[in-house]
Coordinates of all heavy atoms in Angstrom, one line a residue:
Chain W
G568 N -27.8 12.5 -7.6 CA -26.9 13.5 -8.2 C -27.7 14.7 -8.7 O -27.1 15.8 -8.7
L621 N -25.0 -10.6 16.4 CA -23.8 -9.7 16.5 C -24.3 -8.3 16.8 O -23.7 -7.6 17.7 CB -23.0 -9.7 15.2 CG -22.3 -11.0 14.9 CD1 -21.6 -11.0 13.5 CD2 -21.3 -11.4 16.0
P623 N -27.9 -7.2 17.9 CA -29.3 -7.6 18.1 C -30.2 -6.4 18.1 O -29.9 -5.3 18.5 CB -29.2 -8.3 19.4 CG -28.0 -7.8 20.1 CD -27.1 -7.3 19.1
D625 N -32.8 -4.8 20.3 CA -33.0 -4.8 21.7 C -33.6 -3.5 22.2 O -34.1 -2.7 21.3 CB -31.7 -5.2 22.4 CG -30.6 -4.2 22.1 OD1 -30.9 -3.0 21.6 OD2 -29.4 -4.5 22.4
T627 N -32.2 -0.8 22.8 CA -31.7 0.4 22.2 C -32.1 0.6 20.8 O -31.8 1.7 20.2 CB -30.1 0.3 22.2 OG1 -29.7 -0.8 21.4 CG2 -29.5 0.3 23.6
G628 N -32.9 -0.3 20.2 CA -33.4 -0.1 18.9 C -33.2 -1.3 17.9 O -32.7 -2.4 18.4
P629 N -33.5 -1.1 16.7 CA -33.3 -2.2 15.7 C -31.9 -2.7 15.6 O -30.9 -1.9 15.9 CB -33.8 -1.6 14.4 CG -34.6 -0.4 14.8 CD -34.0 0.1 16.1
Y639 N -26.7 -6.3 2.6 CA -25.4 -5.6 2.4 C -24.3 -6.5 2.1 O -23.5 -6.3 1.2 CB -25.1 -4.7 3.6 CG -23.7 -4.3 3.7 CD1 -23.3 -3.2 2.9 CD2 -22.7 -5.0 4.4 CE1 -21.9 -2.8 2.9 CE2 -21.4 -4.6 4.4 CZ -21.0 -3.5 3.7 OH -19.7 -3.1 3.7
Q643 N -22.0 -6.9 -1.2 CA -20.6 -6.7 -1.2 C -19.9 -7.9 -1.8 O -18.8 -7.7 -2.4 CB -20.1 -6.6 0.3 CG -20.4 -5.2 0.9 CD -19.6 -4.1 0.2 OE1 -18.4 -4.1 0.1 NE2 -20.3 -3.1 -0.4
A652 N -9.8 -7.6 -5.1 CA -9.3 -7.0 -6.3 C -8.2 -6.0 -6.1 O -7.3 -5.7 -6.9 CB -10.4 -6.4 -7.1
T653 N -8.1 -5.4 -4.9 CA -7.1 -4.4 -4.6 C -6.1 -4.9 -3.6 O -5.3 -4.1 -3.0 CB -7.7 -3.0 -4.1 OG1 -8.4 -3.3 -2.9 CG2 -8.6 -2.4 -5.2
W654 N -6.1 -6.2 -3.3 CA -5.1 -6.8 -2.4 C -3.9 -7.3 -3.3 O -4.1 -7.8 -4.4 CB -5.7 -7.9 -1.6 CG -6.8 -7.5 -0.7 CD1 -7.3 -6.3 -0.5 CD2 -7.7 -8.4 0.0 NE1 -8.4 -6.4 0.4 CE2 -8.6 -7.7 0.7 CE3 -7.7 -9.8 0.2 CZ2 -9.6 -8.2 1.5 CZ3 -8.6 -10.4 1.0 CH2 -9.6 -9.6 1.7
Y655 N -2.8 -7.4 -2.7 CA -1.6 -8.1 -3.3 C -1.8 -9.6 -3.1 O -1.7 -10.0 -2.0 CB -0.3 -7.6 -2.8 CG 0.9 -8.2 -3.4 CD1 1.3 -7.7 -4.7 CD2 1.6 -9.3 -2.9 CE1 2.4 -8.3 -5.3 CE2 2.7 -9.9 -3.5 CZ 3.1 -9.4 -4.7 OH 4.2 -9.9 -5.3
Q657 N -0.2 -12.2 -4.9 CA 0.8 -13.1 -5.5 C 1.5 -13.9 -4.4 O 1.7 -13.4 -3.3 CB 1.9 -12.3 -6.3 CG 1.3 -11.6 -7.5 CD 2.5 -11.1 -8.4 OE1 3.5 -11.7 -8.5 NE2 2.3 -9.9 -8.9
G658 N 1.8 -15.1 -4.7 CA 2.6 -16.0 -3.8 C 4.0 -15.7 -3.8 O 4.5 -14.8 -4.5
P659 N 4.8 -16.4 -2.9 CA 4.4 -17.4 -2.0 C 3.6 -16.9 -0.8 O 3.9 -15.8 -0.3 CB 5.7 -18.1 -1.6 CG 6.7 -17.1 -1.8 CD 6.3 -16.3 -3.0
F660 N 2.6 -17.7 -0.3 CA 1.8 -17.4 0.8 C 2.4 -18.0 2.1 O 2.8 -19.2 2.0 CB 0.4 -17.8 0.7 CG -0.3 -16.9 -0.4 CD1 -0.3 -17.3 -1.7 CD2 -1.0 -15.8 0.0 CE1 -0.9 -16.5 -2.7 CE2 -1.7 -15.0 -0.9 CZ -1.6 -15.4 -2.3
A664 N 2.3 -16.6 9.4 CA 3.1 -15.5 9.7 C 2.6 -14.8 11.0 O 1.4 -15.0 11.4 CB 3.0 -14.5 8.6
P666 N 1.1 -12.1 13.6 CA 0.0 -11.2 13.3 C 0.5 -9.8 12.9 O -0.3 -9.1 12.2 CB -0.8 -11.2 14.6 CG 0.1 -11.9 15.6 CD 1.0 -12.7 14.9
E667 N 1.6 -9.4 13.3 CA 2.1 -8.1 12.9 C 2.2 -7.9 11.4 O 2.3 -6.7 10.9 CB 3.5 -7.8 13.5 CG 3.6 -7.6 15.0 CD 3.6 -8.8 15.8 OE1 3.5 -9.9 15.2 OE2 3.8 -8.7 17.0
F668 N 2.3 -9.0 10.6 CA 2.4 -8.8 9.2 C 1.1 -8.8 8.5 O 1.0 -8.8 7.2 CB 3.3 -10.0 8.6 CG 4.7 -9.8 9.1 CD1 5.2 -10.5 10.2 CD2 5.6 -8.9 8.6 CE1 6.4 -10.3 10.7 CE2 6.8 -8.7 9.1 CZ 7.3 -9.4 10.2
Y670 N -2.7 -9.6 7.0 CA -3.4 -10.7 6.3 C -2.4 -11.4 5.3 O -1.8 -10.7 4.5 CB -4.5 -10.1 5.5 CG -5.5 -11.2 4.9 CD1 -6.5 -11.7 5.7 CD2 -5.4 -11.6 3.6 CE1 -7.3 -12.7 5.2 CE2 -6.2 -12.6 3.1 CZ -7.2 -13.1 3.9 OH -8.0 -14.1 3.4
Q671 N -2.2 -12.7 5.5 CA -1.3 -13.4 4.6 C -1.9 -14.7 4.0 O -1.2 -15.5 3.4 CB 0.0 -13.8 5.4 CG 0.8 -12.6 5.8 CD 1.5 -11.9 4.7 OE1 1.7 -12.4 3.6 NE2 1.9 -10.6 4.9
E715 N -15.0 -16.4 17.9 CA -14.2 -15.1 18.1 C -12.9 -15.4 18.8 O -11.9 -14.8 18.5 CB -15.1 -14.2 18.9 CG -14.4 -12.8 19.3 CD -15.2 -12.0 20.2 OE1 -16.0 -12.5 21.0 OE2 -15.2 -10.7 20.1
F730 N -14.7 -15.2 11.6 CA -15.5 -14.4 12.5 C -15.2 -12.9 12.3 O -16.1 -12.0 12.3 CB -15.2 -14.8 14.0 CG -16.0 -13.9 15.0 CD1 -17.3 -14.3 15.3 CD2 -15.5 -12.8 15.5 CE1 -18.1 -13.5 16.2 CE2 -16.2 -12.0 16.4 CZ -17.5 -12.4 16.7
Y732 N -14.2 -11.2 9.7 CA -14.8 -10.7 8.5 C -16.3 -10.5 8.7 O -16.9 -9.5 8.3 CB -14.5 -11.5 7.2 CG -13.1 -11.1 6.6 CD1 -11.9 -11.5 7.2 CD2 -13.1 -10.2 5.6 CE1 -10.7 -11.0 6.7 CE2 -11.9 -9.7 5.1 CZ -10.7 -10.1 5.7 OH -9.5 -9.6 5.2
K738 N -20.8 -4.7 10.9 CA -20.8 -3.3 11.4 C -20.8 -2.3 10.2 O -21.4 -1.3 10.3 CB -19.5 -3.1 12.3 CG -19.7 -3.8 13.6 CD -18.4 -3.6 14.5 CE -18.6 -4.3 15.8 NZ -17.4 -4.2 16.7
E739 N -20.1 -2.7 9.1 CA -20.1 -1.9 7.9 C -21.6 -1.7 7.5 O -22.1 -0.6 7.1 CB -19.3 -2.5 6.8 CG -17.8 -2.4 7.0 CD -17.1 -3.3 6.0 OE1 -17.7 -4.0 5.1 OE2 -15.8 -3.4 6.1
H747 N -25.6 1.3 -0.1 CA -24.9 0.0 -0.2 C -25.8 -1.2 0.3 O -25.3 -2.3 0.3 CB -23.7 0.0 0.6 CG -22.7 1.0 0.1 ND1 -22.0 0.9 -1.1 CD2 -22.3 2.2 0.7 CE1 -21.2 2.0 -1.2 NE2 -21.4 2.8 -0.2
V759 N -26.5 6.1 17.1 CA -25.4 6.9 17.6 C -25.4 8.4 17.4 O -24.5 9.1 17.7 CB -24.0 6.3 17.1 CG1 -23.9 4.9 17.4 CG2 -24.0 6.5 15.5
F761 N -25.4 9.9 14.4 CA -24.5 10.4 13.3 C -25.4 11.0 12.2 O -26.4 10.4 11.8 CB -23.7 9.2 12.8 CG -22.9 9.5 11.6 CD1 -21.7 10.3 11.7 CD2 -23.2 9.1 10.3 CE1 -20.9 10.6 10.6 CE2 -22.4 9.3 9.2 CZ -21.3 10.1 9.4
A764 N -25.1 12.2 5.7 CA -24.6 13.0 4.6 C -24.8 14.5 4.7 O -24.7 15.2 3.8 CB -25.2 12.5 3.2
A766 N -23.0 16.8 6.4 CA -21.7 17.3 5.9 C -21.6 18.8 5.8 O -21.0 19.3 4.9 CB -21.4 16.6 4.6
D767 N -22.2 19.5 6.7 CA -22.1 20.9 6.8 C -22.3 21.4 8.2 O -23.5 21.4 8.7 CB -23.0 21.7 5.9 CG -22.8 23.2 6.0 OD1 -22.0 23.7 6.8 OD2 -23.6 23.9 5.3
F768 N -21.3 21.7 9.0 CA -21.4 22.0 10.4 C -20.8 23.3 10.7 O -20.4 23.6 11.9 CB -20.7 20.9 11.2 CG -21.3 19.5 10.9 CD1 -20.5 18.6 10.2 CD2 -22.6 19.1 11.2 CE1 -21.0 17.4 9.8 CE2 -23.1 17.9 10.9 CZ -22.3 17.0 10.1
M769 N -20.8 24.2 9.7 CA -20.3 25.5 10.0 C -20.8 26.2 11.2 O -20.1 26.9 11.9 CB -20.6 26.4 8.7 CG -19.8 27.7 8.7 SD -18.1 27.4 8.2 CE -18.2 28.1 6.6
V772 N -19.7 24.0 14.9 CA -18.3 23.6 15.1 C -17.9 23.8 16.6 O -17.4 22.9 17.3 CB -17.3 24.4 14.3 CG1 -15.9 24.1 14.6 CG2 -17.6 24.3 12.8
E773 N -18.2 24.9 17.1 CA -17.7 25.3 18.4 C -18.6 24.9 19.6 O -18.3 25.1 20.7 CB -17.5 26.8 18.5 CG -16.4 27.2 17.5 CD -16.3 28.7 17.4 OE1 -17.3 29.4 17.0 OE2 -15.2 29.2 17.7
E776 N -22.8 20.8 22.3 CA -24.3 20.5 22.5 C -24.6 19.3 21.6 O -24.0 19.1 20.6 CB -25.2 21.7 22.2 CG -24.9 22.9 22.9 CD -25.6 24.1 22.3 OE1 -26.8 24.0 21.9 OE2 -24.9 25.2 22.1
R777 N -25.7 18.6 22.0 CA -26.2 17.5 21.2 C -26.6 18.1 19.8 O -27.3 19.0 19.7 CB -27.4 16.8 21.8 CG -27.8 15.6 21.1 CD -29.0 14.9 21.8 NE -29.3 13.6 21.2 CZ -30.0 13.4 20.1 NH1 -30.6 14.4 19.5 NH2 -30.2 12.2 19.6
Chain N
Y1028 N -20.7 16.3 -4.2 CA -21.6 16.0 -3.1 C -22.9 15.6 -3.8 O -23.3 16.1 -4.8 CB -21.9 17.3 -2.3 CG -22.9 17.1 -1.2 CD1 -22.4 16.8 0.1 CD2 -24.2 17.3 -1.4 CE1 -23.3 16.6 1.1 CE2 -25.1 17.1 -0.4 CZ -24.7 16.8 0.9 OH -25.6 16.5 1.9
Q1030 N -22.3 12.2 -3.4 CA -21.7 10.9 -3.6 C -20.4 10.7 -2.8 O -20.1 9.6 -2.4 CB -21.4 10.6 -5.1 CG -22.7 10.3 -5.9 CD -23.5 11.5 -6.3 OE1 -23.1 12.7 -6.0 NE2 -24.6 11.3 -7.0
I1032 N -19.8 11.7 0.2 CA -20.1 11.5 1.6 C -20.4 10.1 1.9 O -21.5 9.7 2.3 CB -21.2 12.5 2.1 CG1 -20.9 13.9 1.6 CG2 -21.3 12.5 3.6 CD1 -19.5 14.5 2.1
D1033 N -19.5 9.2 1.6 CA -19.7 7.8 1.6 C -18.5 7.1 2.3 O -17.5 6.8 1.7 CB -19.8 7.3 0.1 CG -20.1 5.8 0.0 OD1 -20.1 5.1 1.0 OD2 -20.4 5.4 -1.2
L1035 N -18.1 4.1 3.4 CA -17.7 2.7 3.0 C -16.8 2.8 1.8 O -15.7 2.1 1.7 CB -19.0 1.9 2.7 CG -18.6 0.5 2.3 CD1 -18.3 -0.4 3.6 CD2 -19.6 -0.2 1.5
T1036 N -17.2 3.6 0.8 CA -16.4 3.6 -0.5 C -15.0 4.2 -0.3 O -14.1 3.7 -0.8 CB -17.2 4.4 -1.5 OG1 -18.4 3.7 -1.8 CG2 -16.4 4.6 -2.8
I1039 N -13.3 3.0 4.0 CA -13.3 1.5 4.3 C -12.7 0.7 3.1 O -11.9 -0.1 3.2 CB -14.6 1.0 4.7 CG1 -15.2 1.9 5.9 CG2 -14.6 -0.5 5.1 CD1 -14.3 1.9 7.1
R1040 N -13.3 1.0 1.9 CA -12.8 0.3 0.7 C -11.7 1.0 0.0 O -11.1 0.6 -1.0 CB -14.0 0.1 -0.3 CG -15.1 -0.9 0.2 CD -14.7 -2.3 0.3 NE -15.7 -3.1 0.9 CZ -15.7 -3.5 2.2 NH1 -14.7 -3.2 2.9 NH2 -16.8 -4.2 2.6
D1046 N -3.5 0.9 -5.3 CA -4.0 -0.5 -5.6 C -2.9 -1.5 -5.4 O -2.0 -1.6 -6.3 CB -4.5 -0.5 -7.1 CG -5.0 -1.8 -7.5 OD1 -4.9 -2.8 -6.8 OD2 -5.4 -1.9 -8.7
L1047 N -2.9 -2.2 -4.3 CA -1.8 -3.1 -4.0 C -1.8 -4.3 -4.9 O -0.8 -5.0 -5.0 CB -1.9 -3.6 -2.6 CG -1.9 -2.5 -1.5 CD1 -1.8 -3.2 -0.1 CD2 -0.7 -1.6 -1.7
S1048 N -2.8 -4.6 -5.7 CA -2.8 -5.7 -6.6 C -1.7 -5.6 -7.6 O -1.2 -6.5 -8.2 CB -4.2 -6.0 -7.2 OG -4.4 -5.0 -8.2
T1051 N 3.1 -3.5 -4.2 CA 3.0 -3.2 -2.8 C 4.5 -3.2 -2.3 O 5.4 -3.1 -3.1 CB 2.2 -4.3 -2.1 OG1 2.1 -3.9 -0.7 CG2 2.8 -5.7 -2.2
I1054 N 7.7 -6.5 3.9 CA 8.1 -6.0 5.2 C 8.7 -7.1 6.0 O 8.2 -8.2 6.0 CB 6.9 -5.3 5.9 CG1 6.3 -4.2 5.1 CG2 7.3 -4.8 7.3 CD1 5.0 -3.6 5.7
L1063 N 7.6 -10.4 4.1 CA 6.3 -10.8 3.6 C 5.6 -9.6 2.9 O 5.8 -8.4 3.4 CB 5.4 -11.3 4.7 CG 5.9 -12.6 5.3 CD1 5.1 -13.1 6.5 CD2 5.9 -13.7 4.2
P1064 N 4.8 -9.8 1.9 CA 4.2 -8.6 1.2 C 3.1 -8.0 2.1 O 2.4 -8.7 2.9 CB 3.6 -9.2 0.0 CG 3.5 -10.7 0.2 CD 4.5 -11.0 1.2
R1066 N -0.2 -7.1 2.1 CA -1.2 -7.6 1.1 C -2.4 -6.7 1.1 O -3.2 -6.5 0.2 CB -1.6 -9.0 1.4 CG -0.5 -10.0 1.2 CD -0.9 -11.4 1.2 NE 0.2 -12.4 1.0 CZ 0.6 -12.7 -0.2 NH1 0.1 -12.3 -1.2 NH2 1.7 -13.6 -0.3
Q1067 N -2.7 -6.1 2.3 CA -3.8 -5.1 2.4 C -3.3 -3.8 3.0 O -2.4 -3.9 3.9 CB -4.9 -5.7 3.4 CG -5.5 -7.0 2.9 CD -6.5 -7.6 3.9 OE1 -6.5 -7.2 5.1 NE2 -7.3 -8.6 3.5
K1175 N -11.9 27.9 13.2 CA -12.6 27.7 14.5 C -12.1 26.5 15.1 O -11.7 25.5 14.4 CB -14.1 27.6 14.2 CG -14.8 28.9 13.8 CD -16.3 28.5 13.5 CE -17.1 29.7 13.0 NZ -18.5 29.4 12.6
N1176 N -12.3 26.4 16.4 CA -11.9 25.1 17.1 C -13.1 24.3 17.5 O -14.1 24.8 18.0 CB -11.2 25.5 18.4 CG -9.8 26.0 18.1 OD1 -9.1 25.5 17.2 ND2 -9.3 26.9 18.9
T1177 N -13.1 23.0 17.2 CA -14.2 22.1 17.6 C -14.2 22.1 19.1 O -13.3 22.5 19.8 CB -13.9 20.7 17.1 OG1 -12.7 20.2 17.7 CG2 -13.8 20.6 15.6
Y1178 N -15.3 21.6 19.6 CA -15.5 21.5 21.1 C -14.4 20.6 21.7 O -13.9 20.9 22.7 CB -16.9 21.0 21.4 CG -17.2 21.0 22.9 CD1 -17.2 22.3 23.6 CD2 -17.4 19.9 23.6 CE1 -17.5 22.3 24.9 CE2 -17.6 19.9 25.0 CZ -17.7 21.1 25.6 OH -17.9 21.2 27.0
Q1181 N -11.4 22.6 22.0 CA -11.5 23.5 23.1 C -11.2 22.8 24.5 O -10.6 23.3 25.3 CB -12.9 24.1 23.1 CG -13.2 25.0 22.0 CD -14.7 25.4 21.9 OE1 -15.3 25.7 23.0 NE2 -15.2 25.4 20.7
C1217 N -14.0 26.2 4.4 CA -14.3 24.8 5.0 C -15.5 24.9 5.9 O -15.6 25.8 6.7 CB -13.0 24.4 5.7 SG -13.3 22.9 6.7
N1218 N -16.3 23.9 5.7 CA -17.6 23.9 6.6 C -17.5 22.7 7.6 O -18.6 22.3 8.1 CB -18.8 23.8 5.7 CG -18.9 22.5 5.0 OD1 -18.1 21.6 5.1 ND2 -20.0 22.3 4.2
F1219 N -16.3 22.1 7.8 CA -16.2 21.1 8.8 C -17.1 19.9 8.5 O -17.6 19.3 9.4 CB -16.4 21.7 10.2 CG -15.4 22.7 10.7 CD1 -15.5 24.0 10.3 CD2 -14.4 22.3 11.5 CE1 -14.6 24.9 10.7 CE2 -13.4 23.2 11.9 CZ -13.5 24.5 11.5
C1220 N -17.1 19.5 7.3 CA -18.1 18.4 6.9 C -17.7 17.1 7.5 O -18.5 16.2 7.6 CB -18.1 18.3 5.3 SG -16.7 17.4 4.6
Y1229 N -15.3 18.4 -1.2 CA -16.3 18.9 -2.1 C -16.5 20.4 -2.0 O -17.1 21.0 -2.9 CB -17.6 18.1 -1.9 CG -18.5 18.6 -0.7 CD1 -19.5 19.6 -0.9 CD2 -18.4 18.1 0.5 CE1 -20.3 20.0 0.1 CE2 -19.2 18.5 1.6 CZ -20.2 19.5 1.3 OH -21.0 19.9 2.4
H1342 N -20.7 16.7 24.9 CA -21.0 16.4 23.5 C -19.8 16.7 22.6 O -19.6 17.9 22.3 CB -22.3 17.1 23.0 CG -23.5 16.7 23.8 ND1 -24.3 15.6 23.5 CD2 -24.0 17.3 24.9 CE1 -25.3 15.6 24.3 NE2 -25.1 16.5 25.2
N1344 N -19.3 15.4 19.5 CA -19.7 15.4 18.1 C -18.6 15.1 17.1 O -18.2 16.0 16.3 CB -20.4 16.7 17.7 CG -21.7 16.9 18.6 OD1 -22.4 15.9 19.0 ND2 -22.0 18.1 18.9
A1398 N -17.0 -6.7 21.8 CA -16.9 -6.3 20.4 C -18.2 -6.4 19.7 O -18.3 -6.0 18.6 CB -15.8 -7.0 19.7
W1399 N -19.2 -7.1 20.3 CA -20.5 -7.3 19.6 C -21.6 -7.6 20.7 O -21.3 -7.7 21.9 CB -20.4 -8.4 18.6 CG -19.9 -9.7 19.1 CD1 -18.5 -10.1 19.3 CD2 -20.6 -10.9 19.5 NE1 -18.4 -11.3 19.8 CE2 -19.7 -11.9 20.0 CE3 -22.0 -11.2 19.6 CZ2 -20.1 -13.1 20.4 CZ3 -22.4 -12.4 20.1 CH2 -21.4 -13.4 20.5
G1400 N -22.8 -7.7 20.2 CA -23.9 -8.0 21.1 C -24.5 -6.8 21.7 O -24.1 -5.6 21.5
S1401 N -25.5 -7.0 22.6 CA -26.2 -5.9 23.2 C -25.3 -5.0 24.0 O -25.5 -3.7 24.1 CB -27.4 -6.4 24.1 OG -28.5 -6.7 23.2
K1404 N -23.5 -2.7 21.7 CA -24.4 -1.8 21.1 C -24.8 -0.7 22.0 O -24.8 0.5 21.7 CB -25.7 -2.6 20.7 CG -26.6 -1.8 19.7 CD -27.7 -2.7 19.2 CE -28.8 -2.0 18.5 NZ -30.2 -2.5 18.8
Y1411 N -20.2 7.2 21.3 CA -19.7 7.7 20.0 C -19.7 9.3 20.0 O -18.6 9.9 19.7 CB -20.6 7.2 18.8 CG -20.3 8.0 17.5 CD1 -19.0 7.9 17.0 CD2 -21.2 8.7 16.9 CE1 -18.7 8.6 15.8 CE2 -21.0 9.4 15.7 CZ -19.7 9.3 15.2 OH -19.4 10.0 14.0
T1412 N -20.8 9.9 20.4 CA -20.7 11.4 20.4 C -20.2 12.0 21.7 O -20.4 13.2 21.9 CB -22.1 12.0 20.1 OG1 -23.0 11.5 21.1 CG2 -22.6 11.6 18.7
Y1437 N 9.3 -11.4 -4.2 CA 8.0 -10.9 -4.6 C 8.2 -9.8 -5.7 O 9.1 -9.0 -5.7 CB 7.2 -10.3 -3.5 CG 6.8 -11.4 -2.5 CD1 7.6 -11.6 -1.3 CD2 5.7 -12.2 -2.7 CE1 7.2 -12.6 -0.4 CE2 5.3 -13.2 -1.8 CZ 6.1 -13.4 -0.6 OH 5.7 -14.4 0.3
K1438 N 7.2 -9.9 -6.7 CA 7.3 -9.0 -7.9 C 6.0 -8.2 -8.0 O 5.0 -8.6 -7.5 CB 7.4 -9.9 -9.2 CG 8.6 -10.8 -9.2 CD 9.9 -10.1 -9.7 CE 11.0 -11.1 -10.1 NZ 11.7 -11.6 -8.9
T1492 N 2.0 -4.0 10.9 CA 1.5 -3.4 9.6 C 0.0 -3.2 9.6 O -0.5 -2.6 8.6 CB 1.9 -4.3 8.5 OG1 1.2 -5.5 8.6 CG2 3.4 -4.6 8.4
Q1493 N -0.7 -3.7 10.6 CA -2.2 -3.8 10.4 C -3.0 -2.6 10.7 O -3.9 -2.3 10.0 CB -2.7 -4.9 11.4 CG -2.2 -6.3 11.1 CD -2.8 -7.3 12.1 OE1 -3.8 -7.9 11.8 NE2 -2.1 -7.4 13.2

Side-chain angles (χ1 to χ4, degrees):
Chain W
L621 293 174
D625 58 17
T627 60
Y639 163 81
Q643 283 295 301
T653 60
W654 300 353
Y655 182 80
Q657 292 190 40
F660 289 88
E667 287 86 351
F668 295 96
Y670 192 82
Q671 294 293 338
E715 180 185 30
F730 180 85
Y732 274 79
K738 290 179 180 177
E739 289 168 3
H747 300 289
V759 299
F761 177 71
D767 178 1
F768 305 107
M769 191 75 107
V772 179
E773 298 174 297
E776 301 165 44
R777 184 177 192 277
Chain N
Y1028 181 89
Q1030 284 82 1
I1032 308 301
D1033 183 352
L1035 185 80
T1036 296
I1039 306 300
R1040 296 288 176 260
D1046 177 358
L1047 299 189
S1048 74
T1051 186
I1054 301 174
L1063 294 174
R1066 296 188 181 276
Q1067 299 175 346
K1175 291 176 181 176
N1176 287 326
T1177 61
Y1178 187 64
Q1181 294 170 40
C1217 168
N1218 70 356
F1219 293 83
C1220 81
Y1229 84 89
H1342 300 273
N1344 297 330
W1399 53 279
S1401 279
K1404 196 175 167 214
Y1411 172 60
T1412 57
Y1437 293 97
K1438 303 275 197 283
T1492 65
Q1493 295 181 94

